[in-house]
Amino acid sequence: MDLFADERRAVALGPGAVLLGGFALPVAEGLMAGIEAVGRVAPFRHMVTPGGKAMSVAMTNCGAWGWISDRAGYRYQGVDPLTGGAWPAMPQGFETVAVEAAAAAGYAGFAPDACLVNRYAPGARMAPHQDRDEADLGAPIVSVSLGLSATFLWGGLSRGDRLRRHGLHHGDVVVWGGPARLAFHGVAPLQPGDHPAAGALRYNLTFRKTR
Ligand code: SIN
Ligand code: FE2
């Protein structure tokens, strides 16, 4: 493991889950450029929940499959409902850092086919939930934080389990799989700030193998 060879710090969140502090920092600039390129083809939008409420987090996708929500439910789709075209390809640098982070966390051979791109403005939040729309629950989730810092809420396998708070900063990566694959997690409302690489915003890349 080269995890401890430099400034990176790994924090175990529980069996199967780890926060790799600063893991994506060396490639953060390229990831930010990739987000901008993805957003030019598939614009960020506020999706609607099945209950009809607009989500506070703006989203887009890259890769073969994109996660969407609308009145009909949550699902993965190969076509962007906003543009009617395919989602933009996953930039090579995205896939590389996701595969390397998964391997560093003990999940060798991760092959993501979807990357959800979340954009948080101040006040935006993600209520605790499980990532369970993927057919292949054997693959981990790889989640990269960029821009403003946020507070990650990390729970257990039951909705009622206590949520622990962890700071997520520019370049941090969280990987969860195996016994933690269906752990509840969320993000507390984003606090205002000014980040040199992202201004008033936070971005998150969530890599998944959907099938
Ligand atoms: C998510 O759970 O989809 C988002 C996690 C994050 O923004 O860090
Ligand atoms: Fe999630």
Side-chain angles (χ1 to χ4, degrees), residues 126 129-131 141 176 185 206 208:
M126 184 83 67
H129 63 278
Q130 296 168 298
D131 286 13
I141 302 288
W176 64 96
H185 60 281
T206 300
R208 304 180 177 123

Side-chain angles (χ1 to χ4, degrees), residues 27 82 162 179 182 199:
V27 295
L82 188 62
R162 167 163 166 224
L182 290 176

Side-chain angles (χ1 to χ4, degrees), residues 5 29-30 97 109 125 128 131 133 170 183 187 192:
E29 213 176 300
V97 76
R125 64 189 286 267
D131 286 13
D133 301 321
H170 186 64
V187 177

Side-chain angles (χ1 to χ4, degrees), residues 14-156:
V18 64
L19 193 174
L20 303 170
F23 188 91
L25 212 40
V27 295
E29 213 176 300
L31 298 178
M32 292 297 299
I35 290 171
E36 205 190 317
V38 167
R40 276 197 296 270
V41 176
F44 283 92
R45 79 294 303 261
H46 293 272
M47 297 184 194
V48 171
T49 65
K53 282 177 48 175
M55 300 178 76
S56 61
V57 177
M59 298 176 175
T60 185
N61 290 276
C62 60
W65 300 96
W67 185 88
I68 65 160
S69 175
D70 61 17
R71 294 302 297 231
Y74 306 135
R75 63 195 176 279
Y76 285 94
Q77 221 174 255
V79 169
D80 178 352
L82 188 62
T83 66
W87 300 103
M90 201 183 294
Q92 186 58 52
F94 282 33
E95 183 168 349
T96 299
V97 76
V99 170
E100 287 179 354
Y107 300 101
F110 182 47
D113 59 8
C115 174
L116 172 66
V117 187
N118 293 316
R119 187 183 72 193
Y120 296 70
R125 64 189 286 267
M126 184 83 67
H129 63 278
Q130 296 168 298
D131 286 13
R132 52 184 295 171
D133 301 321
E134 300 73 32
D136 182 359
L137 294 175
I141 302 288
V142 174
S143 175
V144 179
S145 289
L146 295 162
L148 285 183
S149 297
T151 299
F152 195 44
L153 308 172
W154 180 255

